[in-house]
Amino acid sequence: MEKRLIIMLMAATVAVTGAKAQSDDFGMWYEVNIEKKLTNRLDIDLSLENRSRDNHQETDRWSAGVGVSYKLTDWLKASAGYSFLYDNVYKVNNSGKKYADYWGIRHRFNVSLTASKSFGNLSVSLRERWQYTYRPERTVDRYWTYTDEDDDRYEGEKADEHTYSGKANNKWRNRLQLKYKLSKMVRPYVAGETYVAGSGMDKLRLSLGSEFRITKKHSLDVRYLFQKAYDDDDEEGNKHVIGFGYTYKF
């Protein structure tokens, strides 16, 4: 049964990514998590993540995070965290004739409440999260973009310096997840998450995957994720993602 589930997940991922629209992007996300239980109610965790874009041809982001969570009751958990994001940024000006290609940093903070309830082997959880992200001001070199054969400006020739002002945004994230204990090792899940900003719906994420508990301390996570962008400040756009995660708990 477990082998059959793995094959079904892989087949579904290949089918969806193969049928994706040309305007959508495809990437891979890799994540490593370390979790430490300090008390029966208090946990701390560290995480590292790498993301790719442009059909897995370009590194999109590196990030490192730290978080703490506290179990308020048997069904309610509170958590807070900070992430340092190191982004590979590509920006084109409004005329389309100048572009900037650089690495920039962002600081991200979050506070969450997660409610969960089990119904036999099925567990249902709802996470409500406030997320604040700040991008510091950055001055970078900007270059000409090649326009036509009669134009002597070409990609790679420095045009000027440009300063991108510091920018902050707030988002409210709502995630509903259903996970089923298929066996001691395999726990498939589906999840949907909305991102809401001041102007309304920012993006939607839908996930299908499975957790594989190898031992009490070691677990793997494999998932397919689709992201629909509406008005995304991160300029991510629509994405199809295959994600791999490893977690060590002690």
Side-chain angles (χ1 to χ4, degrees):
M1 186 64 179
E2 295 175 6
K3 292 182 179 179
R4 190 183 310 167
L5 175 65
I6 297 172
I7 294 173
M8 289 173 63
L9 287 172
M10 293 177 64
T13 300
V14 171
V16 176
T17 54
K20 68 186 178 66
Q22 290 185 348
S23 58
D24 294 354
D25 191 21
F26 169 73
M28 305 278 281
W29 294 357
Y30 306 95
E31 186 174 3
V32 176
N33 301 288
I34 300 175
E35 300 180 9
K36 171 65 175 176
K37 181 175 286 294
L38 300 178
T39 69
N40 288 335
R41 293 184 177 272
L42 183 63
D43 295 342
I44 188 171
D45 64 88
L46 302 173
S47 63
L48 293 173
E49 186 183 39
N50 170 263
R51 295 184 179 184
S52 68
R53 66 167 189 262
D54 299 338
N55 295 316
H56 195 48
Q57 298 180 22
E58 196 77 39
T59 298
D60 184 38
R61 184 171 89 188
W62 291 93
S63 66
V66 59
V68 61
S69 63
Y70 185 80
K71 197 170 185 179
L72 300 172
T73 68
D74 290 340
W75 59 272
L76 186 63
K77 180 176 68 175
S79 59
Y82 164 77
S83 296
F84 176 83
L85 311 178
Y86 191 50
D87 300 307
N88 186 353
V89 183
Y90 183 86
K91 288 182 175 289
V92 180
N93 71 342
N94 293 333
S95 68
K97 295 183 178 180
K98 294 179 182 178
Y99 76 94
D101 190 358
Y102 63 96
W103 285 87
I105 65 172
R106 288 184 294 162
H107 302 281
R108 176 167 292 170
F109 303 87
N110 69 77
V111 177
S112 309
L113 279 176
T114 303
S116 58
K117 178 69 175 177
S118 295
F119 303 90
N121 288 338
L122 176 67
S123 63
V124 181
S125 65
L126 175 64
R127 187 184 69 188
E128 298 293 329
R129 169 173 289 181
W130 168 73
Q131 175 180 288
Y132 171 81
T133 306
Y134 178 69
R135 178 186 286 116
E137 179 180 292
R138 179 73 188 274
T139 298
V140 300
D141 291 334
R142 201 159 57 167
Y143 302 90
W144 291 116
T145 298
Y146 180 82
T147 55
D148 57 60
E149 294 181 358
D150 298 324
D151 197 328
D152 60 359
R153 294 175 298 185
Y154 58 92
E155 184 176 354
E157 179 181 348
K158 183 175 178 180
D160 56 20
E161 286 188 345
H162 183 78
T163 298
Y164 293 98
S165 301
K167 186 177 182 179
N169 65 62
N170 293 274
K171 294 180 182 179
W172 190 259
R173 299 171 56 173
N174 312 272
R175 189 194 70 184
L176 178 64
Q177 179 175 278
L178 282 72
K179 182 183 291 186
Y180 187 79
K181 185 179 179 180
L182 191 62
S183 69
K184 186 176 180 180
M185 175 183 177
V186 181
R187 306 189 182 201
Y189 63 84
V190 294
E193 183 172 20
T194 60
Y195 287 61
V196 180
S199 57
M201 178 73 81
D202 191 63
K203 60 188 173 188
L204 168 68
R205 285 180 176 174
L206 301 173
S207 303
L208 169 66
S210 183
E211 178 185 356
F212 300 91
R213 297 193 177 184
I214 302 171
T215 67
K216 188 175 181 179
K217 293 184 177 181
H218 304 274
S219 65
L220 299 176
D221 183 275
V222 181
R223 71 184 183 275
Y224 162 74
L225 179 147
F226 170 71
Q227 173 179 288
K228 170 67 177 177
Y230 294 92
D231 183 21
D232 201 319
D233 289 333
D234 295 336
E235 300 175 354
E236 291 182 276
N238 293 347
K239 284 182 179 291
H240 297 263
V241 174
I242 296 178
F244 298 94
Y246 165 73
T247 299
Y248 174 70
K249 296 182 180 181
F250 66 104

